[in-house]
Amino acid sequence: MKDILTAPWLVELVRTCTNMYAHGWDERNGGNISVLLDAADVAAYLDCKAVLRTLPTGFSAPALDGKYFLVTGTGKYFKNVQYDPAVNLGIVRLADGGQTAQLLWGFTDGGKFTSEFPAHMMSHAARLSVDPENRVVMHCHPNNLLAMTYVHDLDEKTFTRTLWQMETECIVVFPEGVNVLPWMVCGTNEIGQATAEKMKTARLVVWAQHGIYGAGRDLDETFGLIETAEKAAAVYLKIAHLPWKQTITVADLHQLEERFGVKARPGWLD
Ligand code: 13P
Ligand code: ZN
């Protein structure tokens, strides 16, 4: 059996948590990440028959039954993940149609998976239904996107159009746009279901006055999505109160579609 602390997917998650903390996206215990793992990848490092604890999830997710996830712990600080991965992270296998999570590694202080587990698991199921390669769901509290949800219209099309116009690369990176949820109580099955519904049409879902969810095939893609949207939000907040002399026009956005072979969400450039 190989040493799990050397598993490339675990090392990459630790580095990502450290990087997200450095970006200021994850104050205190803010933010959480889950990564779908292959059974064979886990079996190279762990005895998958050795279940340490069985944790109720409070929801069902039949599509994820038997699947393995590396996930951050509730109340854990991203800044500390690098110093003690086994306390701050866990590997679980969903069972009983998703109603329980079997802990195979981690949460060594008796902890458990993030309070946003419903939003993570339901989002995985939703993303896998539209992209079988999706592996990552990431949540954090980036300053500028968060601030933007106080002063910008929350209509998804309008919100997306503003982001697309704040930086040329945006429409290339997230042509499907961003979806937006109004403020809701976090950590509930309700916000999980609402997030998952929004995840069927976009990899980015803004939680008004809270933060953002991203999804992607790997940690780089998902981090990069949030990074790009957050940069655009930062530009918006720098210029929103100033008189604009020019912007990226809808005609310009159409030119970008053509040049980069991407298609904006149907109707969102009308
Ligand atoms: P957890 O510590 O339970 O992961 O919660 C952090 C958070 O960002 C809640 O939305
Ligand atoms: Zn949060």
Side-chain angles (χ1 to χ4, degrees), residues 27 29-32 116 139-141 186 207 210-211 213:
E27 76 293 343
N29 64 308
N32 20 76
E116 303 293 3
H139 165 63
C140 57
H141 306 157
C186 56
W207 279 10
H210 184 135
Y213 268 74

Side-chain angles (χ1 to χ4, degrees), residues 23 37 43 74 104 151 188 194 209 226 229 239:
H23 275 67
L37 302 173
T74 186
L104 302 175
V151 296
T188 62
Q209 294 87 54
I226 294 175
I239 65 167

Side-chain angles (χ1 to χ4, degrees), residues 36-68:
L36 174 62
L37 302 173
D38 284 334
D41 275 342
V42 179
Y45 298 92
L46 294 176
D47 173 4
C48 293
K49 289 197 262 330
V51 175
L52 305 175
R53 281 187 276 146
T54 299
L55 304 160
T57 64
F59 58 85
S60 66
L64 302 180
D65 196 67
K67 293 205 183 297
Y68 295 78

Side-chain angles (χ1 to χ4, degrees), residues 98 146 176 199 222:
L146 184 42
E176 78 270 43
M199 279 283 180
T222 315

Side-chain angles (χ1 to χ4, degrees), residues 37 82 106 169 194:
L37 302 173
Q82 61 181 320
E169 293 283 305

